Amino acid sequence: MSTTTERVRAIVEPVVSELGASIYDVEHSGGVLRISLQRDDGLDMGLITEATRRISAQLDAADPLPERYTLEVSSPGLERALRTPEHFAGAVGEQVKIKVRPGLEGDRRVDGEVVAADGESVTVRTGEGDERRVALGDIERARTHVDWTPPPKPGSPEARRSKTTTTPPDSEGHP
């Protein structure tokens, strides 16, 4: 027997594929059915609107959910949830924030770049350069992360500090 999200995915996948997109995630929680779509060249409101219309019609015809629900069709966003092995594999090279379940050795929070992922685990290189392998079953929550901090203004003390710390010295020791 398949889960609700597997049934929904099977029903709407052909519709989404016709539009040149793919399903990133299907989540059913608290009376809300969320379907996140992705496309290599990005999504626009026209595609989201058309996908919503077609998905809604398919779901009405197939009636995979016995209770009432609200349908949400969207992009997974820049800071998207990572829940499946495919999500982690697609995030290789990206910055992530992971929270692991309590009781494991090491910090509960693992922040850094995904350097490897397979069907069982993900390996993250932290800001200190260490690598930590985490079993997917040990992850409570994970998302990609975008650093929204603006760069320092030119001429500010922060800009001068970052310039001196990132510029390697020349052969005579001058930055």
Side-chain angles (χ1 to χ4, degrees):
M1 182 166 189
S2 63
T3 66
T4 299
T5 57
E6 289 170 340
R7 285 191 309 270
V8 168
R9 182 182 287 269
I11 292 165
V12 302
E13 204 144 32
V15 171
V16 171
S17 183
E18 271 180 26
L19 294 169
S22 62
I23 297 173
Y24 178 79
D25 204 6
V26 176
E27 184 180 9
H28 180 233
S29 175
V32 177
L33 177 62
R34 287 181 189 87
I35 301 176
S36 301
L37 306 180
Q38 62 186 1
R39 189 170 65 175
D40 289 341
D41 56 348
L43 299 171
D44 58 32
M45 287 307 296
L47 184 114
I48 295 286
T49 301
E50 182 63 16
T52 302
R53 188 183 66 71
R54 291 186 188 190
I55 289 170
S56 180
Q58 284 295 108
L59 292 174
D60 286 348
D63 200 22
L65 302 171
E67 71 275 1
R68 293 177 57 101
Y69 62 90
T70 300
L71 175 64
E72 292 181 5
V73 179
S74 67
S75 155
L78 288 177
E79 292 192 347
R80 63 196 178 282
L82 304 172
R83 298 184 318 119
T84 67
E86 295 80 15
H87 292 166
F88 285 98
V92 171
E94 295 188 52
Q95 294 295 311
V96 295
K97 288 188 175 279
I98 297 174
K99 184 176 180 183
V100 298
R101 66 178 175 79
L104 295 178
E105 187 176 321
D107 293 335
R108 282 196 70 200
R109 299 190 188 282
V110 182
D111 299 347
E113 178 186 351
V114 176
V115 293
D118 57 35
E120 313 225 341
S121 67
V122 60
T123 303
V124 178
R125 182 177 301 122
T126 66
E128 295 79 40
D130 300 326
E131 289 188 3
R132 181 163 173 196
R133 184 177 175 271
V134 180
L136 297 183
D138 290 337
I139 296 174
E140 246 181 41
R141 197 170 45 242
R143 339 185 49 74
T144 58
H145 174 72
V146 176
D147 183 5
W148 298 102
T149 308
K153 293 182 179 180
S156 70
E158 294 84 14
R160 287 193 295 275
R161 268 196 301 277
S162 70
K163 186 176 180 182
T164 58
T165 58
T166 59
T167 306
D170 62 16
S171 60
E172 296 173 9
H174 300 98

